[in-house]
Amino acid sequence: MTGTTATSEELEFVEAVALQFEQQGLIRMSGRAIGWLLICDPAEQTLGQIARALSVSVSSISTALRHLVPSQLVERFRRPGERGDRYRINPHAWIEHAMTQASRYGEFKRVTARGLELLADEPPVRSRRLQEMYDFYEWLEREMPLVWSRWEQEKKERMQHDTCGADRRTQ
């Protein structure tokens, strides 16, 4: 970041992140806030800093962050002696977000099981779509604990070899 506003390249990244989150149902400004908080320096920002960097109003950022804090993607905190809040990405946001989503798999499975019971005496062609959904969520519910376990093991191994993560890049 140069000065108080983001560079054009940083803003392009922020918009790309915002678009991804918008496609998942989040409002675009919340996605922009996430995008900025992923790359800003310092990593902890005030409402004013975020608004200036993105050239938007403080009220629009405030509204966006009001949606992100309860979801625990973003943390709000205050340093001792300061009057204003600061915001940062929750360092565990992605795994917690994914685990929250995964906790709903059992709910989907139970709802679809009720639908399958409802259609038990109907021709199989009528329940085919519902059966596919049930089978998929049953599979996810069974497989996700294995995925979490593999992720934790990989993260642990990576931390042993790379204490700061500075040399890691995507391929």
Side-chain angles (χ1 to χ4, degrees):
M1 182 174 101
T2 58
T4 59
T5 60
T7 66
S8 60
E9 292 85 9
E10 288 170 334
L11 289 174
E12 286 177 23
F13 171 78
V14 165
E15 285 302 317
V17 170
L19 181 60
Q20 290 301 309
F21 278 100
E22 184 179 53
Q23 290 173 349
Q24 293 182 35
L26 204 61
I27 60 171
R28 188 170 290 204
M29 190 57 71
S30 293
R32 286 180 180 131
I34 291 171
W36 179 247
L37 288 172
L38 284 169
I39 64 169
C40 63
D41 185 30
E44 303 166 348
Q45 302 268 298
T46 65
L47 285 174
Q49 288 173 313
I50 299 168
R52 279 190 301 279
L54 300 179
S55 299
V56 298
S57 71
V58 171
S59 65
S60 65
I61 287 298
S62 177
T63 300
L65 290 170
R66 210 170 307 133
H67 293 283
L68 295 173
V69 170
S71 71
Q72 299 180 342
L73 291 174
V74 172
E75 296 176 330
R76 181 180 65 203
F77 67 99
R78 189 172 289 185
R79 290 184 182 159
E82 287 187 349
R83 292 176 54 185
D85 290 331
R86 292 181 178 267
Y87 298 86
R88 65 182 166 215
I89 293 290
N90 172 352
H92 308 290
W94 315 119
I95 189 76
E96 289 173 5
H97 180 69
M99 289 178 92
T100 297
Q101 295 299 325
S103 71
R104 296 185 179 123
Y105 300 156
E107 295 168 28
F108 273 112
K109 193 176 96 172
R110 282 186 291 283
V111 168
T112 54
R114 279 186 20 219
L116 290 169
E117 288 173 18
L118 177 71
L119 300 176
D121 295 331
E122 297 294 324
V125 68
R126 187 161 176 213
S127 62
R128 185 177 314 142
R129 297 178 310 266
L130 196 54
Q131 185 67 54
E132 182 69 21
M133 184 178 178
Y134 177 87
D135 292 346
F136 178 67
Y137 281 106
E138 183 178 51
W139 179 82
L140 281 175
E141 189 177 43
R142 187 178 62 247
E143 291 296 315
M144 289 313 292
L146 301 172
V147 170
W148 301 135
S149 177
R150 288 194 315 263
W151 166 250
E152 288 300 323
Q153 182 62 37
E154 184 177 318
K155 187 169 81 170
K156 185 174 155 184
E157 290 170 7
R158 189 173 54 239
M159 296 298 280
Q160 290 173 345
H161 300 302
D162 182 11
T163 58
C164 67
D167 295 333
R168 234 179 319 116
R169 299 284 184 254
T170 57
Q171 311 240 339

